[in-house]
Amino acid sequence: WRRMDLKEKQNKPFYSRNGELSAIIINAVKSGLLIPYKNDSVSTRMSKADFLNELKPPEEGGELTEEEKSMGFGEVDQNDPFADAFAAEEELAVVAEYPGREFSILEIREDMFFDRNRSRMYYDIQAITIFLPSDPNDPSRSLETPLASFRYKDLVEVFRSMPKEAVWYNVMNSAEHRNFAEAFELRLFSSNLIKFANPEDERISEIYDKSRRDGILASQKLEHDMVEFENELWEF
């Protein structure tokens, strides 16, 4: 499992203004082009209604008290010339949701295997999960919150069907933009290893839990070990 932050410099091509990877995925679900799942095992579907509900920020302020109601708060006078404006404002409040750009954290679940016929390692992405990043100023968002998971093969089909929208933006050469599907295939993204298959299903930060620094160093060492393992395969 890998954590991909779209705000990182290397990942900015996936995060161009009005062409964010997360926004493309969310809009594809709204359009009925993509099926969301409840977790990265992609075995249990999430209904479109539940998905849209997850996009809504938590309500602030709660319901009015009886004293506030008796004072007339929350009521709209239909004879008021601004009544329509108040009604429109309430309508917007109902459909309020986090903008797609807020979802800048992704988790990638993939298999790594050695193809002995071609004598090389391959990474086979299985699923991608979108997370709402944490907000230290919002108690309800003190932790990163998963929105939904998506089957990678479904994402590839959606990306390829949207050549003008799902664009990996080439900063160095505007004539060499690529489709998101191709960018993932070429592994043009930056990510941090956060978990590998283990009996306890623990993350690296949980296994090496003495300090945050230990978890980061362990993740980097595992990355180096995988590269070294692949290099040593050529010696046999």
Side-chain angles (χ1 to χ4, degrees), residues 1 107 143 193-219 222:
W1 285 260
E107 275 192 10
L143 298 175
L193 189 65
I194 58 173
K195 189 173 78 168
F196 55 87
N198 64 86
E200 301 297 330
D201 196 34
E202 293 181 320
R203 293 180 173 240
I204 294 173
S205 59
E206 295 173 313
I207 298 174
Y208 303 91
D209 59 355
K210 290 184 179 180
S211 69
R212 185 171 181 273
R213 180 175 180 273
D214 287 340
I216 294 174
L217 291 176
S219 174
L222 288 168

Side-chain angles (χ1 to χ4, degrees), residues 35-39 42-47 50 151 154:
I35 298 173
Y37 292 84
K38 293 185 176 182
N39 53 56
V42 290
S43 58
T44 305
R45 292 188 177 188
M46 175 186 290
S47 69
D50 287 344
R151 195 186 304 274
D154 295 344

Side-chain angles (χ1 to χ4, degrees):
W1 285 260
R2 296 178 175 276
R3 182 181 188 274
M4 177 182 176
D5 187 345
L6 297 179
K7 293 182 179 179
E8 286 186 14
K9 184 176 181 179
Q10 186 174 333
N11 292 328
K12 284 293 183 70
F14 291 95
Y15 200 58
S16 60
R17 182 68 63 175
N18 299 321
E20 301 88 352
L21 170 62
S22 49
I24 294 293
I25 293 175
I26 290 171
N27 290 334
V29 176
K30 291 180 178 180
S31 302
L33 300 175
L34 191 60
I35 298 173
Y37 292 84
K38 293 185 176 182
N39 53 56
D40 63 12
S41 67
V42 290
S43 58
T44 305
R45 292 188 177 188
M46 175 186 290
S47 69
K48 186 176 180 180
D50 287 344
F51 177 83
L52 295 176
N53 189 57
E54 290 294 326
L55 288 176
K56 297 179 182 178
E59 295 182 3
E60 298 181 1
E63 297 182 356
L64 296 175
T65 64
E66 292 299 325
E67 183 180 359
E68 290 171 330
K69 291 179 180 179
S70 66
M71 295 173 65
F73 290 107
E75 297 180 0
V76 178
D77 184 355
Q78 297 303 321
N79 295 320
D80 188 333
F82 296 102
D84 289 342
F86 284 126
E89 186 175 346
E90 289 186 359
E91 178 74 16
L92 288 174
V94 172
V95 298
E97 62 181 43
Y98 290 116
R101 195 169 178 82
E102 283 283 314
F103 296 88
S104 60
I105 305 298
L106 308 178
E107 275 192 10
I108 301 171
R109 181 175 71 86
E110 62 184 0
D111 294 333
M112 185 180 74
F113 62 93
F114 176 67
D115 185 340
R116 61 184 181 183
N117 294 321
R118 300 179 183 178
S119 298
R120 59 166 294 184
M121 297 295 298
Y122 280 93
Y123 294 91
D124 186 16
I125 300 177
Q126 301 296 311
I128 292 180
T129 302
I130 297 181
F131 279 72
L132 182 67
S134 59
D135 183 351
N137 298 318
D138 185 349
S140 65
R141 288 175 52 191
S142 59
L143 298 175
E144 294 174 358
T145 307
L147 172 63
S149 298
F150 304 91
R151 195 186 304 274
Y152 179 66
K153 291 182 179 179
D154 295 344
L155 287 173
V156 169
E157 290 183 9
V158 169
F159 294 156
R160 295 195 184 284
S161 70
M162 305 171 68
K164 294 183 179 180
E165 295 87 2
V167 177
W168 179 87
Y169 196 93
N170 191 325
V171 181
M172 305 302 295
N173 186 351
S174 59
E176 289 295 330
H177 296 332
R178 298 179 183 273
N179 185 265
F180 282 158
E182 186 180 5
F184 273 106
E185 183 179 351
L186 295 173
R187 300 188 73 80
L188 299 178
F189 59 89
S190 171
S191 63
N192 298 316
L193 189 65
I194 58 173
K195 189 173 78 168
F196 55 87
N198 64 86
E200 301 297 330
D201 196 34
E202 293 181 320
R203 293 180 173 240
I204 294 173
S205 59
E206 295 173 313
I207 298 174
Y208 303 91
D209 59 355
K210 290 184 179 180
S211 69
R212 185 171 181 273
R213 180 175 180 273
D214 287 340
I216 294 174
L217 291 176
S219 174
Q220 292 175 345
K221 183 180 184 304
L222 288 168
E223 287 274 16
H224 294 158
D225 289 345
M226 288 194 297
V227 173
E228 185 176 353
F229 174 75
E230 183 175 4
N231 291 336
E232 288 180 350
L233 288 173
W234 294 97
E235 298 180 5
F236 296 97

